[in-house]
Amino acid sequence: QDRRSMATSSEDDTTTDARLAPWSARWAASRIAFHIDEVHPVLRRHGARLGLDESTTPPRVLVPLCGKTVDLAYLADTKKCAVVGVDGVRQALDEFVADHGATLTPTADTPGSTYKVGLPSGASLEYVVGDFFAYGAETKAAFDAAFDRGGLVAVDPQDRDAYVAVLSRLATTVLLVAVEHAPFDGGKLGPPFSLERDAVEALAATHGFAVTALEREDRMLVEGDVWRARGVEAFVEATYLLVRKEETASSSSS
């Protein structure tokens, strides 16, 4: 390995550490208000758009920045999908395993620290502990669909373009849950960072996705206390379907 590649590797490691350190601290302090203890309602309402309800072979589904979401178990067990979750914090995996009474088996044939998670029902899923950007650069996996709830809005806005580039390379269809809100107390922008429709459409266009706006939900009606405590009086979840344009063209011609 020459000096230039060694330097690049060191810089990449530093970037990854800087990106993941705040999230490790959040998990260590149990500051994970973003976690919900039920299957996300958007996934139940719009899962069919990812092919979840078709009688053919269930899709291969990516869940980026997944934490310990119960959506992983829902997709693997109830919907019989081949599921891969990716998160940079090992504690998230450990808590998922504890919450579900699952088993953990390391695997060595994929990038990052990758594990097979066995659920009590006999279903299983794959969980990658590592930086999502690095995973996207290294993996040879391909996915029929991705469910992104809290991923894109968690990353620094300057990293959004690179994040959507990874999604575009890995998945043909993305069910995306974005949020819209004013700055929090002290002018803090996030996380989660507000992501309005025009920004979603611009990112999608850059990376070859067609966009359909599916729904908007006023979250103040169900979790207003959480957001008022952070200094905002309006908080909206907006759901979009992103489909790679070659897939759209293929569907139109068939």
Side-chain angles (χ1 to χ4, degrees):
Q1 188 177 34
D2 62 29
R3 290 182 180 178
R4 181 180 300 174
S5 62
M6 288 176 66
T8 301
S9 176
S10 176
E11 290 169 2
D12 289 346
D13 289 344
T14 299
T15 300
T16 295
D17 290 345
R19 189 157 45 223
L20 298 182
W23 293 101
S24 295
R26 280 176 174 265
W27 279 91
S30 297
R31 292 190 295 116
I32 54 170
F34 50 82
H35 175 74
I36 59 176
D37 292 321
E38 61 180 356
V39 176
H40 198 285
V42 162
L43 189 56
R44 290 192 185 275
R45 288 195 294 267
H46 298 291
R49 294 177 180 270
L50 300 181
L52 301 187
D53 297 331
E54 296 178 1
S55 58
T56 55
T57 304
R60 181 171 169 81
V61 181
L62 171 68
V63 185
L65 280 60
C66 61
K68 62 172 183 174
T69 176
V70 298
D71 298 334
L72 294 172
Y74 171 75
L75 289 166
D77 193 356
T78 305
K79 294 300 183 179
K80 312 303 179 188
C81 299
V83 183
V84 177
V86 182
D87 200 279
V89 181
R90 171 59 193 257
Q91 185 176 337
L93 170 59
D94 292 338
E95 292 193 17
F96 178 87
V97 169
D99 289 349
H100 293 270
T103 60
L104 202 59
T105 306
T107 60
D109 58 349
T110 52
S113 300
T114 306
Y115 301 86
K116 177 181 178 181
V117 180
L119 300 171
S121 65
S124 64
L125 58 98
E126 188 175 288
Y127 196 115
V128 180
V129 179
D131 181 60
F132 179 64
F133 296 94
Y135 174 78
E138 298 169 13
T139 186
K140 296 178 181 178
F143 298 89
D144 303 298
F147 179 53
D148 190 299
R149 177 263 169 181
L152 180 56
V153 297
V155 301
D156 191 294
Q158 69 181 5
D159 293 325
R160 286 174 176 168
D161 188 72
Y163 185 100
V164 177
V166 173
L167 286 178
S168 178
R169 191 172 76 80
L170 297 183
T172 57
T173 303
V174 181
L175 186 59
L176 169 68
V177 182
V179 299
E180 299 174 13
H181 61 81
F184 297 122
D185 278 341
K188 189 173 182 180
L189 300 179
F193 295 93
S194 188
L195 180 62
E196 286 73 25
R197 179 171 177 166
D198 59 348
V200 172
E201 291 176 341
L203 286 164
T206 298
H207 296 287
F209 283 117
V211 182
T212 302
L214 299 180
E215 66 174 61
R216 292 171 59 82
E217 182 182 6
D218 181 359
R219 296 300 295 175
M220 298 301 287
L221 299 176
V222 292
E223 52 191 22
D225 290 347
V226 173
W227 303 115
R228 289 189 187 94
R230 295 189 64 178
V232 297
E233 291 298 327
F235 192 94
V236 172
E237 278 191 349
T239 302
Y240 303 89
L241 186 71
L242 280 58
V243 181
R244 278 214 306 252
K245 290 181 179 177
E246 60 265 31
E247 292 296 315
T248 305
S250 175
S251 297
S252 300
S253 62
S254 60

